Amino acid sequence: MCRKRALLATVLGAAALSLASQAVAADAAKVSAPAAQIPAAAPAPPRKASPQQRAEARRLDPLAQAAFWGSEFEIDPADAEAGAGLARALRALGRNDEAAETATKALVAHPDDEPLLLELARAHIARGQGFYAIEPARKAAAQNPKDWRPLTLLGVAYEQAERDDESEAAHRQAIALAPSEATPLANYAMHLAARGDLAGAEAQLRRAAGLPSAGIQTRQNLALVVGLQGRLPEAEKLARADLPPEQVANNLAYLRAALGQAGAGRSWDALRGGGGQ
């Protein structure tokens, strides 16, 4: 081969190698390009708590419950159990307006859910707006005529709405349905106290306080009613069974002030238990 042809062959050989390298690089790019273009996987949606976790949450303090049920309700605003749990926790924290708002939102998806109806009624009663508790409590009572809870709520709601005859009837119906439950008796007792029948209220509260379902609120309402009849030493003894000394001192100061005032009955609404469990 002459020198010129050998040089040409060398040049063509180098060009061919260059083209081959480019082709391999292009093929490699084609292979790797799809991997680079695959979008990142979307994060998995938050998972709702298991039934066991929910059962454990019910044993938490109100603040922790509010955080737990608030997260569950945010994940699924149509979750009736989460809505009722959040409303109950908010009410326990004294955030009654928020409790009513939460129950109202949850009822949009579940308008006939009894726990939500009861929580809405309780929240309105706790915020002193019993008139607005009447409709949800009535609806719950109509759905479950053998349940005393909506009826005792109705009794308190009617009283706040100053519909005393209807309040009396609702309280009596609740007691007839559940004579061994402390709450209907205690709520009826405070209804009697607000009407000035302190002796009648005391009799009902003593019955309620002797039942296994009685709580601190029932016993403290008994101390209140006893004290308002002027029997302060007995009221103090009852109060000390459940309360720390500083709170007993505050309650006794209230009683002494109330004994010097006429018509103090309606001011006791802030001390009642809220009606129903």
Side-chain angles (χ1 to χ4, degrees):
M1 181 184 295
C2 70
R3 183 179 178 186
K4 184 181 288 187
R5 292 187 65 181
L7 179 61
L8 181 60
T10 303
V11 171
L12 289 174
L17 287 172
S18 176
L19 289 172
S21 298
Q22 291 177 19
V24 170
D27 289 342
K30 288 179 182 178
V31 172
S32 61
Q37 293 171 4
I38 295 174
R47 295 178 62 183
K48 294 168 70 171
S50 67
Q52 181 180 355
Q53 289 172 320
R54 291 188 170 208
E56 291 170 356
R58 295 186 191 98
R59 296 192 288 270
L60 299 174
D61 63 85
L63 188 59
Q65 283 200 40
F68 175 86
W69 292 115
S71 175
E72 292 292 285
F73 194 55
E74 186 176 355
I75 292 172
D76 182 7
D79 187 332
E81 183 184 22
L86 179 57
R88 182 172 57 252
L90 290 170
R91 182 168 52 85
L93 293 170
R95 294 158 60 180
N96 301 314
D97 290 345
E98 293 174 71
E101 182 180 353
T102 297
T104 300
K105 285 180 180 178
L107 280 164
V108 172
H110 304 276
D112 298 322
D113 187 80
E114 186 179 5
L116 283 173
L117 290 168
L118 294 178
E119 283 305 325
L120 180 58
R122 291 185 185 114
H124 283 312
I125 287 170
R127 60 198 284 262
Q129 298 290 327
F131 174 81
Y132 300 102
I134 292 172
E135 184 56 32
R138 272 181 177 168
K139 190 172 183 179
Q143 289 179 182
N144 194 351
K146 294 185 178 181
D147 189 350
W148 58 268
R149 296 173 301 167
L151 287 168
T152 197
L153 287 168
L154 265 178
V156 180
Y158 280 135
E159 185 182 335
Q160 287 188 352
E162 300 184 13
R163 292 160 62 170
D164 285 348
D165 290 344
E166 290 166 286
S167 176
E168 175 89 13
H171 281 306
R172 288 187 176 277
Q173 282 181 278
I175 293 170
L177 282 174
S180 61
E181 287 288 343
T183 298
L185 285 167
N187 284 340
Y188 180 50
M190 298 312 290
H191 168 73
L192 294 175
R195 296 176 71 173
D197 184 2
L198 294 176
E202 180 183 349
Q204 296 295 332
L205 284 167
R206 288 194 182 280
R207 283 180 59 197
L211 295 171
S213 57
I216 290 176
Q217 187 65 53
T218 297
R219 295 189 291 271
Q220 292 311 305
N221 280 343
L222 175 59
L224 176 70
V225 167
V226 167
L228 286 168
Q229 294 178 81
R231 289 145 51 199
L232 291 182
E234 185 180 353
E236 180 178 0
K237 183 178 179 180
L238 288 166
R240 289 195 187 281
D242 293 303
L243 300 180
E246 62 274 12
Q247 195 168 346
V248 173
N250 289 339
N251 288 358
L252 289 173
Y254 167 80
L255 285 170
R256 291 188 183 96
L259 288 171
Q261 300 171 1
R266 290 281 175 179
S267 67
W268 309 338
D269 288 347
L271 299 178
R272 80 170 67 247
Q277 299 297 323

